[in-house]
Amino acid sequence: MAEFVVRGAVRAALPTYSETEVSGSTKERGLRGKLNKVVLAYSGGLDTSVIVPWLRENYGCDVVCFTADVGQGIKELDGLEKKAKASGASQLVVQDLKEEFVKDYIFPCLRAGAIYERKYLLGTSMARPVIAKAMVDVAKEVGADAVAHGCTGKGNDQVRFELTFFALNPKLNVVAPWREWDITGREDAIEYAKKHNVPVPVTKKSIYSRDGNLWHLSHEGDILEDPENEPKKDMFMLTVDPEDAPNEPEYVEIGIVSGTPVSVNGKELSPASLLDHLNQIGGKHGIGRVDMVENRLVGMKSRGVYETPGGTILFAAAQELESLTLDRETMQVKDSLALKYAELVYAGRWFDPLRESLDSFMEEISKTTTGSVTLKLYKGSVTVTSRKSPYSLYRQDISSFESGDIYDQADAAGFIRLYGLPIRVRAMLDA
């Protein structure tokens, strides 16, 4: 058994299959050229199972299947070794990226207040670069000269994967079968699998296209393609219908240090554990459902429904704490830059110097965003009930309607005259 260690994260100990254990030779040139070894983003589903023999046939290469655990659920990871070997892969690498995903990707976006087109909390957008980065690391480790993914030519994910590949190792070849092959749908893929003796995954085909990780679960397709249709009640998987949520509210306290969540109800948790815990709490109360029509990077509009229970709670807490710790000008600049930050992440430009520079700004201004926020969860709603910070800029002695020593109300007259001077001058022109 071969065990691989990368950046301290231990992947599953899985064998490297010999030439005699997989069908066909990869020594010869393929139908489209010759590659030595390809690292494939692998899920074990029909599409990626078919991609394995297709790569071997068309590029004469060994295929190393790579699967990242970003919190999509244990069921999606079951039986992957058997599936990969049956498809003709020479090796399977599985890596747990949950903590890295939350700490280094989700929490920076949360700190930046990054929301795409007013609603989307960037669940899939944040996951792709952490997976692609790990693929580049694995490619270096196993001596691969190419990477491959199963993204279609109509979506955003192809861009997100490939921009990360370009940024981290521009010498790697990139293979995108959906932009090259003649397979046009599920039936074609099944036929190809049978022709190449690849066991077809025996799973019930969902009528929805879904993508899940520790941050969210997205739903697209079927009746959702018509924006006039209301989502069916049984489509949702992470959150209960708000109408069926408990009749009693639940209070939850989020502890934050320098813009980063660290605790729930006073208990410190690791990033992934904290988010998982809030997903359970929020899901129970129907928190975090979003139905939106968004502008894809490739130009078309698409309709998606997202479930982000824990993320919705965290965004509410982070934004509320900032109301105490950020002054007006800083908050306004932050909000304007958050739009650009979200756009960069959505477009797959995680490793772009601009996003990294914006992140440095967000980190700097968040140094005093420390404290706690208490939220009331009730039937799909999140309501702030308390907020406190040792760095709060709120002064009750100044804000009070009672007279104080710091703020003299008589000073307001002079301020208003000066502040309103441009308005008065312009009015004089029209007099």
Side-chain angles (χ1 to χ4, degrees):
M1 301 289 281
E3 183 178 73
F4 296 92
V5 180
V6 174
R7 299 185 308 281
V10 180
R11 295 194 287 271
L14 302 172
T16 300
Y17 314 127
S18 67
E19 281 288 332
T20 59
E21 291 182 284
V22 295
S23 59
S25 172
T26 59
K27 301 300 183 182
E28 303 297 328
R29 176 183 173 88
L31 299 177
R32 296 170 182 264
K34 177 61 181 164
L35 293 170
N36 175 44
K37 187 178 291 186
V38 179
V39 175
L40 168 66
Y42 182 75
S43 68
L46 175 60
D47 290 353
T48 53
S49 294
V50 167
I51 288 176
V52 176
W54 185 90
L55 288 170
R56 288 164 53 83
E57 179 183 28
N58 285 272
Y59 290 98
C61 58
D62 288 335
V63 180
V64 175
C65 290
F66 173 77
T67 301
D69 180 3
V70 288
Q72 63 267 45
I74 192 64
K75 288 184 179 180
E76 293 195 26
L77 302 175
D78 285 344
L80 283 180
E81 180 186 359
K82 183 178 180 180
K83 293 177 183 178
K85 183 177 180 179
S87 296
S90 62
Q91 189 178 349
L92 170 67
V93 177
V94 181
Q95 186 172 0
D96 185 345
L97 300 177
K98 293 192 293 292
E99 291 292 349
E100 180 182 356
F101 176 41
V102 180
K103 176 178 177 289
D104 296 337
Y105 294 79
I106 288 177
F107 280 178
C109 284
L110 174 67
R111 181 178 61 200
I115 301 175
Y116 182 70
E117 294 191 340
R118 306 169 185 165
K119 290 184 178 182
Y120 180 42
L121 300 184
L122 299 168
T124 301
S125 310
M126 296 184 293
R128 295 304 181 242
V130 70
I131 296 171
K133 179 178 183 293
M135 290 176 65
V136 172
D137 292 339
V138 171
K140 179 180 180 180
E141 189 173 316
V142 302
D145 55 344
V147 286
H149 60 76
C151 307
T152 72
K154 296 181 70 175
N156 297 314
D157 282 344
Q158 58 181 336
V159 182
R160 295 164 180 158
F161 272 105
E162 294 181 34
L163 291 192
T164 300
F165 298 150
F166 294 163
L168 301 181
N169 188 347
K171 294 182 179 180
L172 280 173
N173 295 288
V174 179
V175 184
W178 274 103
R179 301 201 300 255
E180 298 184 31
W181 63 18
D182 297 325
I183 296 174
T184 59
R186 184 174 175 82
E187 294 306 316
D188 286 348
I190 292 174
E191 186 63 30
Y192 186 91
K194 291 180 178 178
K195 180 180 177 181
H196 292 79
N197 299 314
V198 174
V200 177
V202 183
T203 57
K204 182 179 179 181
K205 174 64 176 177
S206 171
I207 61 175
Y208 302 104
S209 173
R210 289 188 169 102
D211 178 73
N213 56 51
L214 199 55
W215 184 249
H216 86 161
L217 178 63
S218 65
H219 312 266
E220 294 179 332
D222 196 58
I223 66 167
L224 299 180
E225 292 184 350
D226 184 347
E228 293 186 14
N229 290 332
E230 180 181 3
K232 293 181 179 178
K233 187 173 182 177
D234 62 1
M235 179 191 75
F236 295 92
M237 302 177 70
L238 297 185
T239 57
V240 303
D241 190 316
E243 295 177 358
D244 301 326
N247 291 323
E248 294 296 324
E250 180 172 354
Y251 291 83
V252 59
E253 182 185 39
I254 309 299
I256 296 174
V257 174
S258 297
T260 298
V262 296
S263 66
V264 177
N265 294 329
K267 182 179 180 180
E268 292 191 5
L269 299 166
S270 73
S273 297
L274 184 147
L275 180 55
D276 183 58
H277 183 51
L278 288 179
N279 281 336
Q280 303 302 318
I281 296 174
K284 180 175 65 176
H285 292 278
I287 305 299
R289 293 185 174 189
V290 168
D291 184 341
M292 68 178 291
V293 175
E294 68 193 64
N295 290 295
R296 282 187 179 175
L297 181 63
V298 292
M300 69 185 73
K301 286 185 180 288
S302 66
R303 193 262 188 105
V305 177
Y306 303 96
E307 297 179 82
T308 318
T312 300
I313 293 171
L314 288 176
F315 259 92
Q319 290 178 351
E320 193 61 30
L321 187 57
E322 288 177 347
S323 71
L324 292 180
T325 62
L326 297 184
D327 61 77
R328 179 178 59 192
E329 296 295 328
T330 302
M331 184 178 293
Q332 289 175 354
V333 172
K334 179 182 186 292
D335 287 348
S336 66
L337 294 178
L339 297 174
K340 187 61 180 179
Y341 194 108
E343 180 185 330
L344 291 169
V345 175
Y346 186 83
R349 294 169 62 185
W350 185 269
F351 294 98
D352 190 299
L354 176 56
R355 189 212 63 85
E356 293 171 343
S357 297
L358 290 176
D359 199 55
S360 296
F361 169 79
M362 298 300 180
E363 182 179 12
E364 179 64 27
I365 66 168
S366 298
K367 286 183 176 179
T368 59
T369 303
T370 296
S372 64
V373 176
T374 301
L375 306 162
K376 180 169 71 173
L377 314 179
Y378 182 67
K379 291 189 177 295
S381 68
V382 180
T383 306
V384 177
T385 61
S386 174
R387 77 287 283 162
K388 59 184 178 181
S389 170
Y391 303 104
S392 176
L393 299 177
Y394 178 88
R395 290 281 300 271
Q396 187 174 348
D397 57 339
I398 297 176
S399 302
S400 172
F401 286 105
E402 301 297 326
S403 297
D405 297 330
I406 298 178
Y407 190 98
D408 187 341
Q409 296 188 42
D411 292 340
F415 165 74
I416 295 172
R417 281 195 297 271
L418 293 176
Y419 185 69
L421 182 59
I423 297 175
R424 294 179 65 191
V425 170
R426 181 170 297 278
M428 291 175 184
L429 293 177
D430 298 331

